[in-house]
Amino acid sequence: DAKTTQPNSMESNEEEPVHLPCNHSTISGTDYIHWYRQLPSQGPEYVIHGLTSNVNNRMASLAIAEDRKSSTLILHRATLRDAAVYYCILRKGGLGAGNMLTFGGGTRLMVKP
Amino acid sequence: DTGVSQNPRHKITKRGQNVTFRCDPISEHNRLYWYRQTLGQGPEFLTYFQNEAQLEKSRLLSDRFSAERPKGSFSTLEIQRTEQGDSAMYLCASSLGTGFTEAFFGQGTRLTVV
C-alpha cells in the first residue's frame, strides 16, 4: 500500500495561514488523497479530499502537486480551534477498492494566540 | 444529536473478561467501520460493514474480536478474554452511498484492561 509521510508537529500563529505538507511518492493513479483531523478527545473529522486537481471547501484548500507525489493542506486563517492532529491518507479508488482509511502518525498542529 | 453515537464512552475491565461496545451510526448510513486507536498513534482499521454484511476484516481482528451489524442498523464489537494489549480507544464511523463519501466518526469508547 502507498504510504504518506508528514512532519510530526508544526506550529502556527493564530489568524495566519498554515501549510501542512504530505509526501506520498508511491501514490498510484487511482489513489485519492484524503485529509482528516482529530481534535483532542474527539474522533477524526473529514477535512477534504482530491484526486488530481486542487480543491477548496469551507474548511480548507488542498493543493496537489502535478506529479501527485506530494500535497499540501492549507488552512487560510488558523484559529485556536484548529489545533489538532492532521492526517494525510491515501484511499484506493475504483471498483472493488477497499473502504478502510489507513491513518499514519499525522501532524500535530499547535496554534499560538 | 444526529451524529455517530458510541456507548459506553469508557470501560474498565479485568483481564480475561468479555466486553461489548455499541455503535449507532447516522441514520440511513449504509456503511459502518470500526477502528482502534492507541495512545499517540493514528486509528487502525478493524472491520467494515455494508448494510448487515461484513465485507472487510483487518488482520488485526483476532479470533477474540467479533463484530455484528444485525439488520444493518447499529453495530456491536465484542472482545472476548480481554488482554492488557486491548486497551485502546475503539472508534466507530459511518458513511452513506456506494462510492466515496466522507466518513463520520463517533467519539469512541475508551477501553482500559487492568
Side-chain angles (χ1 to χ4, degrees), chain A residues 32 34 36 38 41-46 49 87 91 96-105 108, chain B residues 9 31 33 35 37 40-45 48 56 91 98-107:
Chain A
Y32 286 79
H34 290 239
Y36 278 73
Q38 188 170 22
S41 301
Q42 301 290 319
E45 172 187 36
Y46 169 81
H49 80 283
Y87 296 100
R91 178 185 175 274
N99 290 282
M100 72 282 197
L101 299 171
T102 302
F103 290 80
R108 181 173 298 280
Chain B
R9 293 291 311 280
R31 294 175 163 180
Y33 314 80
Y35 288 80
Q37 185 173 26
Q41 304 296 315
E44 298 171 295
F45 169 78
Y48 155 68
E56 288 185 49
L91 292 160
T98 54
F100 167 73
T101 52
E102 64 180 278
F104 293 83
F105 282 80
Q107 291 189 296

Side-chain angles (χ1 to χ4, degrees), chain A residues 71-94:
Chain A
S71 60
T72 302
L73 179 70
I74 303 165
L75 306 180
H76 296 286
R77 286 182 70 224
T79 70
L80 297 178
R81 287 176 296 177
D82 291 322
V85 178
Y86 286 78
Y87 296 100
C88 171
I89 300 162
L90 299 183
R91 178 185 175 274
K92 291 194 179 299

